[in-house]
Amino acid sequence: MTYRTISITNLNRLFEYIIESKDLFAPKEREDQPGFYRFDRILKPDEITLSYGTTTIPPKAFFFPPEETLFTFSLSDEGAKLNPELEEAPFVLAGVHPCDLAAIEALDLALGQPPADHRWLFNRRRAVIIGVDCTPDEYCFCGSVNTLNSRNPADLFLTPVSGGYLVEIPTARGLELLSSVETFEAGPEHLEEAETRRKEKTAQLTAAFNRTSADIAGVLESGGFGDIWKELASRCYSCGSCNLVCPTCFCFHTDDRFELNLTSGHRFRSWDSCQFLEFALVTGGHNFRGLRRNRVRHRWRCKFLHLYKEFGRVFCTGCGRCSRACTADINMADVINRLVHESENHSETRPGKEG
Amino acid sequence: MVIKNFSSKPRAAFFDFACCEGCQLTVLQLDDRLLELMAHVEIIEWRQVMSGRGDKYDIAFCEGGVVRNEDVDRIRSIRDRTDILAALGSCASIACHNSLRNEWNVEYAIKHVYGENAGDFDLIPVRPISEVVEVDYQATGCPVSLKEFVTVFEHILTGKIYRPPNDPVCRECKQNDYVCVYEKGRICLGPVTRCGCGAACVAHGDACHGCRGLVDDANTDAVFKALEPKSRHTIMEQMVRKNRLTETDLMKKLSIYDPPKKPENGKE
Ligand code: SF4
Ligand code: SF4
Ligand code: SF4
Ligand code: SF4
Ligand code: SF4
């Protein structure tokens, strides 16, 4: 790994350079709610806030949009004609936090491996990603899921140091991009400053569970916890916000829409949530998770058990978005702690396995 | 081609029962797309826009609620004379504002509103059309969402079953990245309300008031839980406290369009 430093002025030059030839998306304060940020199209570098807290919608939306047309179609007596819809222009996504980098990496496993989701792969190849270090809030628990210092798949990674940023350059694409502006070799004092920052950041993490991913998977696999799921279900609205804001959720729903002419239309897909009543409803009318408590339970089992078994990593990056978004105050880290506590203290009284 | 169900150009009609006629007006907002629609159907009756009358129909769009005995006869007669009946909007599908009258008994309500002319009205408890006759298609909303109307229209003409969306408004709200109303310190019924409107009210800075009706398994009990002194519903609870809401207030908020059952325990 190569380390360089870049001044604020030169970083802004880099952003200007990017804007000249490509779309640049980065965190920007919302006009409709000051103090809130979202990844937005940037026209001038001073619109960017690299020291933002978090965004409601994660950056995965740039590779897997909330709703996208898969193809348009037209029907005639000669048959059906399909026109695939793919946006091709390359873009740069800047200001991605370590947890969100980890989420893109996780989705590269889930969507990028054969049989790959070709739209995900295609969009991923269009993008250069610039990461930036963050400041955790009370909902973040990246320290408990190994994403505190994630760098993959960033092409460049920025850590604030005096006079500018320390730049890590994990990829050749990053190196090429960075060569367009002046940077300096990083000295030991810069690395030290970044290290101090990391320590401070770790100390700021209040939400945590001190168990390994394997432990959590084991806890969930042991089953039971009926009372916890029941209690959560009594509060949960099944509103789906937790899944819709999650950077690693990848479930979607597909449907067709005709135009009023009834001969042309489009097929689209849009983000789905396993908390919705009809998520596991199948033809014939059976609903595999018709009970709210089973849907609640599924969210934890999906992220910390099923996908862990499948891909060797939990599909939760500790970003805290689900906990922030939940109007029923269902908190991801709290629930894990309750499960761990229950399994360690009451395992002998717990009822047997539940599907 | 795609039109499977009808041997010739289907005859369509629009009818209104007790309502504000806003759903019909919404359909008229199709403007020149109305001509596209008319390429597929022949409109033979639509009191709001034309004077013609029909006798038998292939498709009847019915707006409004059933509030008088004569409405029952009329909707039954339309049902008998049409192949497909589509409920247009919340009054026709889930009762909507009309049903607020059901909070009083009929005699009291009639006297209160019409005074000495009360005898001229043959009122009965308010019901949506869908509770009186069988409805084949349904588009809720106050007013109906134009996008959903087009979708329902397309489903009718291509012979497909239409399943109204059964996910909460939060779905569309999050997909559009709107700032959650709770962040602004107000109560939103989005988490228990059927989506399909694109979270229209949140998009325009308001909260969702639930005009599309409750989703099938709406956890309305959880809304009331926010009233409990030791509620863990921090966000809801804060709103309840800040706005000094009582159970009656919450019930009223929930009852404007689609009255839920009173809170009951033990449902998950
Ligand atoms: S955000 Fe909260 S209330 Fe909504 S589905 Fe998720 S856990 Fe339930
Ligand atoms: S099943 Fe649920 S938790 Fe798992 S990825 Fe899909 S929406 Fe997310
Ligand atoms: S489950 Fe919650 S904390 Fe974990 S990645 Fe998803 S939104 Fe973030
Ligand atoms: S504003 Fe309302 S509909 Fe939107 S996410 Fe918040 S609670 Fe749900
Ligand atoms: S946001 Fe709520 S009140 Fe507004 S149109 Fe949609 S369902 Fe109706």
Side-chain angles (χ1 to χ4, degrees):
Chain A
M1 176 85 66
T2 336
Y3 293 94
R4 308 283 297 175
T5 61
I6 189 167
S7 68
I8 307 273
T9 319
N10 280 328
L11 183 61
N12 282 339
R13 280 204 189 112
L14 178 66
F15 288 140
E16 261 162 27
Y17 169 80
I18 294 168
I19 294 166
E20 274 168 28
S21 62
K22 290 190 178 91
D23 282 339
L24 171 64
F25 299 96
K28 183 176 165 186
E29 187 162 20
R30 295 183 71 127
E31 277 160 25
D32 53 354
Q33 188 82 340
F36 282 60
Y37 298 85
R38 70 166 155 213
F39 286 92
D40 213 337
R41 174 92 186 271
I42 301 297
L43 300 175
K44 293 202 307 278
D46 63 3
E47 295 168 355
I48 304 175
T49 307
L50 282 180
S51 60
Y52 72 108
T54 183
T55 59
T56 305
I57 298 301
K60 82 169 178 198
F62 289 94
F63 312 112
F64 172 33
E67 182 168 319
E68 64 181 327
T69 298
L70 302 178
F71 54 79
T72 56
F73 56 80
S74 52
L75 309 171
S76 68
D77 293 334
E78 279 99 66
K81 239 207 221 118
L82 307 184
N83 314 293
E85 289 250 325
L86 275 176
E87 180 68 55
E88 297 190 2
F91 64 93
V92 174
L93 182 60
V96 183
H97 284 163
C99 57
D100 286 342
L101 291 170
I104 297 171
E105 190 189 40
L107 289 181
D108 280 343
L109 284 176
L111 300 175
Q113 295 196 125
D117 183 301
H118 78 277
R119 302 186 73 86
W120 172 269
L121 272 188
F122 189 86
N123 286 335
R124 281 282 287 110
R125 291 195 187 120
R126 290 164 57 208
V128 171
I129 300 177
I130 305 178
V132 69
D133 210 11
C134 56
T135 310
D137 70 9
E138 74 269 29
Y139 294 100
C140 300
F141 57 97
C142 49
S144 306
V145 284
N146 303 321
T147 60
L148 183 74
N149 295 312
S150 291
R151 296 294 182 264
N152 230 354
D155 296 294
L156 291 173
F157 189 88
L158 310 171
T159 307
V161 290
S162 14
Y165 288 90
L166 177 74
V167 194
E168 292 166 49
I169 315 166
T171 71
R173 283 219 284 193
L175 187 64
E176 191 193 327
L177 182 64
L178 196 68
S179 66
S180 58
V181 289
E182 192 181 23
T183 57
F184 298 94
E185 200 173 318
E189 72 280 15
H190 297 117
L191 297 179
E192 216 166 278
E193 209 184 326
E195 188 49 36
T196 311
R197 190 180 194 286
R198 249 194 300 279
K199 284 196 184 122
E200 283 168 9
K201 186 174 123 174
T202 316
Q204 273 176 43
L205 287 165
T206 48
F209 39 88
N210 295 319
R211 296 293 182 282
T212 63
S213 299
D215 289 344
I216 310 280
V219 164
L220 280 161
E221 188 149 44
S222 71
F225 307 113
D227 289 346
I228 296 181
W229 304 131
K230 239 178 167 164
E231 191 279 325
L232 294 171
S234 75
R235 291 191 272 146
C236 174
Y237 297 106
S238 306
C239 75
S241 290
C242 45
N243 296 129
L244 294 161
V245 301
C246 178
T248 64
C249 277
F250 52 84
C251 290
F252 60 85
H253 162 95
T254 311
D255 206 351
D256 292 346
R257 283 283 176 276
F258 276 90
E259 302 295 330
L260 260 183
N261 63 23
L262 299 185
T263 55
S264 63
H266 67 285
R267 173 164 298 174
F268 66 98
R269 70 170 173 189
S270 65
W271 291 351
D272 209 340
S273 159
C274 58
Q275 302 307 298
F276 294 153
L277 174 64
E278 294 183 359
F279 183 85
L281 176 68
V282 294
T283 309
H286 183 66
N287 193 335
F288 285 91
R289 288 188 289 274
L291 283 178
R292 201 186 315 279
R293 59 167 182 248
N294 290 350
R295 299 202 290 281
V296 169
R297 179 184 66 184
H298 180 74
R299 184 155 69 96
W300 274 267
R301 286 174 70 98
C302 170
K303 296 192 164 300
F304 291 91
L305 176 60
H306 304 321
L307 292 174
Y308 172 76
K309 279 185 160 174
E310 178 91 17
F311 298 111
R313 65 180 292 162
V314 293
F315 266 55
C316 171
T317 67
C319 76
R321 281 190 180 84
C322 54
S323 315
R324 282 182 209 100
C326 180
T327 53
D329 194 31
I330 292 173
N331 183 300
M332 185 41 103
D334 280 1
V335 173
I336 294 283
N337 278 321
R338 277 173 75 184
L339 295 170
V340 169
H341 184 266
E342 163 93 7
S343 104
E344 289 174 1
N345 294 286
H346 306 283
S347 53
E348 67 289 350
T349 56
R350 270 192 302 126
K353 277 190 187 207
E354 271 186 66
Chain B
M1 260 182 357
V2 264
I3 304 176
K4 297 192 195 99
N5 258 6
F6 307 97
S7 48
S8 57
K9 203 170 175 182
R11 289 153 305 166
F14 285 80
F15 299 98
D16 42 57
F17 287 76
C19 63
C20 73
E21 301 189 11
C23 291
Q24 291 180 70
L25 269 178
T26 301
V27 175
L28 287 173
Q29 281 168 12
L30 278 171
D31 292 334
D32 43 3
R33 290 171 69 209
L34 211 50
L35 298 175
E36 274 185 68
L37 184 144
M38 284 163 70
H40 305 292
V41 293
E42 187 192 347
I43 297 180
I44 56 170
E45 185 166 344
W46 189 349
R47 189 193 51 76
Q48 202 178 55
V49 294
M50 59 190 270
S51 52
R53 295 290 293 268
D55 177 26
K56 279 205 166 287
Y57 320 99
D58 294 300
I59 310 164
F61 292 99
C62 295
E63 178 201 41
V66 171
V67 301
R68 300 169 299 188
N69 268 319
E70 61 193 84
D71 299 336
V72 177
D73 300 337
R74 184 162 162 249
I75 188 64
R76 285 196 180 133
S77 144
I78 293 171
R79 177 70 270 188
D80 288 344
R81 289 179 290 125
T82 186
D83 191 12
I84 286 168
L85 193 150
L88 190 63
S90 283
C91 291
S93 332
I94 56 166
C96 204
H97 306 121
N98 286 331
S99 69
L100 289 175
R101 197 230 303 140
N102 291 347
E103 287 192 28
W104 292 273
N105 78 40
V106 173
E107 288 72 38
Y108 174 83
I110 291 189
K111 284 218 186 76
H112 189 76
V113 177
Y114 299 106
E116 54 193 38
N117 298 325
D120 300 348
F121 298 91
D122 187 13
L123 295 192
I124 52 174
V126 176
R127 276 176 296 170
I129 284 168
S130 62
E131 275 181 31
V132 182
V133 292
E134 198 185 323
V135 161
D136 307 301
Y137 290 87
Q138 170 172 315
T140 58
C142 176
V144 72
S145 135
L146 197 47
K147 209 170 131 203
E148 190 177 25
F149 170 77
V150 170
T151 305
V152 167
F153 184 80
E154 171 242 303
H155 277 66
I156 294 175
L157 287 186
T158 52
K160 288 186 287 194
I161 293 170
Y162 179 67
R163 293 170 54 84
N166 202 7
D167 306 330
V169 176
C170 298
R171 174 188 193 142
E172 295 173 325
C173 199
K174 286 289 182 283
Q175 287 181 342
N176 286 295
D177 197 6
Y178 298 140
V179 176
C180 181
V181 167
Y182 285 91
E183 303 280 6
K184 303 179 183 176
R186 287 160 58 206
I187 285 197
C188 179
L189 292 187
V192 287
T193 301
R194 194 181 291 280
C195 73
C197 59
C201 298
V202 185
H204 292 95
D206 198 356
C208 172
H209 297 276
C211 84
R212 294 175 53 79
L214 296 171
V215 287
D216 282 354
D217 74 337
N219 195 351
T220 47
D221 292 7
V223 177
F224 293 98
K225 276 213 156 172
L227 293 166
E228 289 169 11
K230 271 207 163 147
S231 162
R232 285 190 48 134
H233 273 68
T234 314
I235 301 180
M236 241 315 187
E237 193 197 12
Q238 279 167 7
M239 301 310 130
V240 165
R241 220 183 286 133
K242 182 170 165 247
N243 299 298
R244 294 177 204 281
L245 296 178
T246 62
E247 181 164 335
T248 321
D249 297 331
L250 277 182
M251 197 62 188
K252 269 190 185 152
K253 238 182 184 335
L254 278 169
S255 301
I256 301 177
Y257 295 96
D258 191 6
K261 285 187 217 79
K262 290 269 187 273
E264 47 180 272
N265 291 322
K267 209 179 78 183
E268 301 127 42

